[in-house]
Amino acid sequence: MSFPKKLITSHPIPIRRSLTSLYKTQIQNLSILPIHHSNQTNPINSFKDLEGLRPSSINSRPFDQCGSINIVLESNKMITNYVRAGDLDAARQVFDEMLLRTTVTWNSMLAGYSKKSGNSEAARELFYQIPEPDVVSFNTMLACYFRNSDIETARGFFDGMPVKDIASWNTMLSGLSQCGKMSEASQVFLVMPQKNSVSWSAMISGHVEVGDLESAERLFRLAPVKSVVAWTAMITGYMRFKKIELAEMLFEQMPVRNLITWNSMIAGYVENCRAVDGLKFFKRMINDGIRPNPSSYSSVLLGCSNLSALQLGKQVHQFVYKTPLFLNTTVGTALLSMYCKCGELQDARKLFDVMHWKDAATWNAMISGYAQHGSGKKAILLFDEMRMEEAKPDWITFVAVLTACNHAGLVESGIRHFDSMRRDYQIEPMPDHYTCMVDLLGRAGLLEKAVELINNMPFKPHSAIFGTLLGACRMHKNLELAEFAAQNLLHLDPNSAAGYVQLANIYAAMNKWDHVANVRRLMKANKVVKTPGYSWIEVKNVINEFRSGDRVHPELSLIHKKLGELEKQMKLAGYSPDLDYALHDVGEEQKEQILLRHSEKLAVAYGLICTPAGTTIRVFKNLRVCGDCHTAIKYISLIEEREIILRDTTRFHHFRNGSCSCGDYW
């Protein structure tokens, strides 16, 4: 894969517009949701409207009328374009230097302050300086209050507005809906003097966002005119509630679709573990002539990551490379994340290095990539580089850093970074950070310290905390703490299959088969089903899936033959099966055969059969790798002189020449 040496960013090119179209643009950019307005009379829609306007500075000199108009128009365009480009300081400089301002000028500057949260005070100050505010001014200020989550002020402001048009009502409706205040939004909706498609869309979208699919469906049926926003909101809702068939049916019935509709379908498939369908839908979108945006690529690349479909991800990369979106930070971050999750850490780093603009998500993705691959020291060095570049770490950054320390056994470094969160960055540790720390201490055998940390947490421990502690107890065979962790885990999450399985595995490793039987009976009584373990490997763009003791793969006889040969060679090299991982009360010979048929070994053997000698094998598993498989694959990498990359639920293992990148610390 080749990358450009340097990426560049571009700014929007100013576009010449008439005063009327510029004014309409101001209206369209006001509300929280896209708003379609009635044909109201514009306060300024001709040159004549400018005749009575007064200069905003007492020191202004007389202007020729046409010259004044041209200067105002050009200045308004500059302000609008600077605002669109996100350069508020430049927009304000143009504004301050203007000797004559129209209401459109004030509204343009106000829209700039209102565009992002955090500028409400500056927007308020500017609003009350407008000589003749119009309904657009009021609507812009109302939207600003909602964008800053100042709902109480927005309510009072709306009630005091001297005039309200349909855009005012829709802005109020959209603001309440996006803040989750659907009861209040419904009251506003009922008393609106006039409703349009935007009004109905705001209500439908709001109900979907708060999870009230039933109300959304009812309103969708009642809506006299259904906009593409309403259709798309319903598709999003159906996907969110795993009603995929209904989403598909609605999509096919839509009279008009936009890019957001396609993105909702693709993202919905990926989120519902149907990444293959999402990728097919992406291809259909391209064939229909729809141009993807960063959101499209983020979803499709996440689908490639979930499938570990590296070749397909590379094809998407080549497609992106031919478009201007290759320069987009969001797309670049999605690409490097895909490479990390598919085991290509070097390609991910190459892409990271050539990205001209990196946001916090970009740094987080690369640090997390190093963490998942067990390169803890590289992750910490990159975090230090991030700080030197004055990129601001967030809570996700510290999850990645603590994970890196965890996977590399950097206990002191992990504790130091955890303590620095609140002290140096004013970031309050969240449950995810505590889970990382419990895992870090537990893996290192500091189980008592892990329990002490849990007891001192500022909030009630969640189930993942005790699940992590239980895993550490299994690693160190601490039955007493394991039972404590399992009891708390199952109290918080009675349907946790992982809790039962982990406890049963600890009992099995200690030959307490009667306890294993009790746990299994309890699982059956509570109707808890264990997630079946499986592994998969991509060969020639085809995903081959294996389960332990697989009996359905068409090449099974060849795979078993290869494993038989490998078993003999491994034992000659010093391999001894770890029977603690054969979790059945059977004889040793049967246990060895069970271990030999684990899904990881089946996938590796198939890779050895079907790929050229010397090439890297990439295997993926939906659960943690078995301890015996981990040992066996080290021997296989030595015997076959192959690099074998195995990704499980927690990390990557790179096997080379009889050793693993994790240093057996996993």
Side-chain angles (χ1 to χ4, degrees):
M1 180 63 61
S2 60
F3 305 107
K5 291 183 178 179
K6 186 175 182 181
L7 300 180
I8 59 172
T9 56
S10 59
H11 292 289
I13 299 173
I15 301 173
R16 295 181 176 272
R17 301 184 180 206
S18 68
L19 183 58
T20 302
S21 66
L22 179 61
Y23 176 73
K24 289 179 178 177
T25 300
Q26 296 301 322
I27 295 177
Q28 291 168 356
N29 288 334
L30 286 176
S31 297
I32 307 292
L33 288 176
I35 298 215
H36 301 283
H37 298 267
S38 58
N39 293 324
Q40 60 184 33
T41 303
N42 292 332
I44 302 172
N45 55 15
S46 69
F47 287 171
K48 187 176 180 180
D49 291 327
L50 290 169
E51 289 179 359
L53 293 177
R54 297 167 299 180
S56 60
S57 170
I58 59 173
N59 297 319
S60 60
R61 59 183 175 80
F63 280 93
D64 171 78
Q65 187 178 35
C66 291
S68 302
I69 292 168
N70 289 333
I71 291 172
V72 171
L73 292 179
E74 290 301 321
S75 297
N76 286 352
K77 290 174 190 175
M78 290 176 67
I79 290 172
T80 300
N81 283 305
Y82 279 130
V83 166
R84 286 176 180 167
D87 193 345
L88 198 57
D89 291 337
R92 185 63 196 239
Q93 184 177 349
V94 173
F95 178 85
D96 289 339
E97 291 175 355
M98 291 179 69
L99 300 177
L100 180 68
R101 303 183 186 117
T102 68
T103 302
V104 171
T105 312
W106 287 91
N107 289 346
S108 298
M109 197 64 237
L110 183 63
Y113 283 117
S114 303
K115 207 172 183 182
K116 293 182 180 179
S117 60
N119 292 322
S120 60
E121 285 303 317
R124 191 203 310 262
E125 182 180 342
L126 187 72
F127 173 79
Y128 286 111
Q129 293 177 29
I130 302 177
E132 297 178 359
D134 59 11
V135 68
V136 177
S137 314
F138 281 94
N139 291 347
T140 306
M141 196 63 226
L142 179 62
C144 179
Y145 286 130
F146 277 117
R147 197 165 283 118
N148 286 274
S149 301
D150 194 350
I151 300 172
E152 290 298 325
T153 304
R155 287 194 195 99
F157 187 81
F158 178 78
D159 292 340
M161 286 173 62
V163 60
K164 302 182 182 77
D165 61 4
I166 192 170
S168 312
W169 288 93
N170 282 340
T171 301
M172 189 67 187
L173 195 63
S174 300
L176 290 170
S177 297
Q178 291 197 357
C179 292
K181 303 290 185 180
M182 291 312 300
S183 177
E184 294 180 44
S186 297
Q187 293 174 13
V188 172
F189 184 73
L190 290 173
V191 300
M192 285 180 71
Q194 181 185 357
K195 300 177 181 68
N196 62 9
S197 62
V198 175
S199 318
W200 290 91
S201 298
M203 290 299 295
I204 293 166
S205 300
H207 281 300
V208 167
E209 286 303 310
V210 298
D212 186 358
L213 189 60
E214 185 178 343
S215 294
E217 288 177 313
R218 178 176 53 80
L219 285 169
F220 185 75
R221 287 192 299 268
L222 293 173
V225 179
K226 299 174 178 64
S227 71
V228 67
V229 175
W231 285 86
T232 302
M234 287 307 305
I235 286 174
T236 301
Y238 283 136
M239 282 295 192
R240 193 169 293 168
F241 281 83
K242 304 187 182 301
K243 297 184 177 184
I244 301 173
E245 292 75 16
L246 289 176
E248 292 170 333
M249 182 180 70
L250 215 59
F251 180 86
E252 299 302 337
Q253 292 175 354
M254 287 183 71
V256 178
R257 306 177 186 115
N258 62 15
L259 177 59
I260 299 174
T261 314
W262 287 91
N263 287 347
S264 295
M265 288 294 294
I266 296 168
Y269 279 126
V270 173
E271 289 164 5
N272 282 285
C273 302
R274 289 178 53 174
V276 173
D277 291 323
L279 297 178
K280 289 178 181 176
F281 221 81
F282 177 75
K283 184 177 180 181
R284 177 182 167 185
M285 182 179 82
I286 299 297
N287 291 338
D288 278 13
I290 308 298
R291 183 176 296 177
N293 68 356
S295 179
S296 316
Y297 286 116
S298 294
S299 293
V300 78
L301 288 167
L302 179 59
C304 292
S305 299
N306 292 347
L307 291 171
S308 305
L310 177 61
Q311 295 308 315
L312 189 56
K314 287 184 175 181
Q315 290 175 24
V316 175
H317 189 175
Q318 290 293 347
F319 188 84
V320 173
Y321 190 77
K322 298 173 184 176
T323 73
L325 282 179
F326 187 76
L327 306 175
N328 183 274
T329 301
T330 300
V331 175
T333 301
L335 278 167
L336 78 86
S337 180
M338 180 275 297
Y339 279 118
C340 287
K341 292 175 181 177
C342 288
E344 285 286 354
L345 199 58
Q346 290 184 343
D347 277 351
R349 183 59 198 247
K350 287 178 184 177
L351 185 58
F352 177 85
D353 288 339
V354 300
M355 288 179 67
H356 181 69
W357 174 255
K358 305 176 182 73
D359 59 14
T362 312
W363 289 93
N364 292 347
M366 196 66 241
I367 295 170
S368 181
Y370 278 129
Q372 294 302 315
H373 285 264
S375 301
K377 292 182 179 178
K378 288 183 179 179
I380 300 303
L381 287 173
L382 191 62
F383 173 67
D384 292 338
E385 185 180 334
M386 177 184 184
R387 292 187 300 170
M388 286 188 290
E389 292 287 338
E390 297 184 355
K392 188 177 180 181
D394 57 20
W395 71 271
I396 299 174
T397 313
F398 280 97
V399 171
V401 168
L402 295 176
T403 300
C405 295
N406 181 12
H407 287 172
L410 304 174
V411 178
E412 294 301 323
S413 179
I415 293 172
R416 186 170 64 255
H417 282 99
F418 179 77
D419 291 341
S420 74
M421 287 176 59
R422 186 185 292 109
R423 183 186 66 237
D424 299 336
Y425 302 95
Q426 292 74 54
I427 297 174
E428 288 296 324
M430 299 166 67
D432 285 349
H433 302 112
Y434 279 95
T435 302
C436 287
M437 288 303 297
V438 169
D439 202 14
L440 173 68
L441 296 170
R443 285 174 188 267
L446 303 173
L447 296 173
E448 297 296 337
K449 284 192 175 182
V451 172
E452 182 182 349
L453 181 65
I454 293 173
N455 291 334
N456 291 327
M457 284 170 57
F459 38 74
K460 187 177 179 180
H462 60 305
S463 59
I465 289 280
F466 290 108
T468 300
L469 179 63
L470 183 57
C473 291
R474 180 192 176 187
M475 183 188 306
H476 296 285
K477 296 183 178 180
N478 188 317
L479 184 57
E480 182 181 354
L481 275 182
E483 290 175 334
F484 162 79
Q487 182 180 6
N488 281 278
L489 171 58
L490 297 177
H491 174 72
L492 292 170
D493 185 5
N495 296 317
S496 171
Y500 290 104
V501 172
Q502 288 272 36
L503 186 60
N505 289 348
I506 295 172
Y507 286 137
M510 302 180 73
N511 293 318
K512 293 181 177 289
W513 298 108
D514 55 335
H515 288 66
V516 173
N518 288 336
V519 172
R520 288 175 178 166
R521 277 195 294 270
L522 194 58
M523 287 181 69
K524 187 175 182 180
N526 291 331
K527 297 180 181 180
V528 176
V529 180
K530 175 188 174 183
T531 303
Y534 60 90
S535 301
W536 66 97
I537 182 172
E538 180 186 5
V539 177
K540 297 178 181 177
N541 289 331
V542 177
I543 303 295
N544 293 265
E545 186 178 297
F546 298 89
R547 296 182 184 263
S548 294
D550 200 296
R551 297 181 181 179
V552 298
H553 196 279
E555 303 293 336
L556 209 55
S557 59
L558 287 175
I559 294 171
H560 285 169
K561 181 181 177 182
K562 181 66 176 178
L563 283 173
E565 295 170 358
L566 286 171
E567 183 184 30
K568 293 176 183 177
Q569 292 174 287
M570 288 191 296
K571 286 184 174 179
L572 287 173
Y575 164 72
S576 177
D578 189 342
L579 302 184
D580 284 348
Y581 290 92
L583 305 173
H584 298 274
D585 190 12
V586 295
E588 289 191 3
E589 188 174 339
Q590 286 177 280
K591 286 185 177 183
E592 288 190 20
Q593 287 304 303
I594 291 171
L595 290 174
L596 197 61
R597 301 292 187 267
H598 273 190
S599 65
E600 303 98 309
K601 295 189 183 80
L602 294 172
V604 168
Y606 183 71
L608 293 170
I609 294 168
C610 298
T611 59
T615 58
T616 299
I617 294 173
R618 289 179 175 82
V619 172
F620 306 88
K621 186 175 180 180
N622 70 322
L623 302 176
R624 288 189 65 184
V625 60
C626 155
D628 178 72
C629 288
H630 188 271
T631 301
I633 295 172
K634 287 196 295 184
Y635 280 98
I636 293 172
S637 70
L638 179 64
I639 293 165
E640 294 286 331
E641 298 181 349
R642 296 269 204 126
E643 179 180 2
I644 301 171
I645 300 174
L646 173 62
R647 187 190 83 184
D648 65 11
T649 51
T650 59
R651 65 176 300 156
F652 277 86
H653 299 266
H654 294 253
F655 299 92
R656 286 191 203 91
N657 300 319
S659 62
C660 179
S661 60
C662 72
D664 296 334
Y665 188 86
W666 60 280

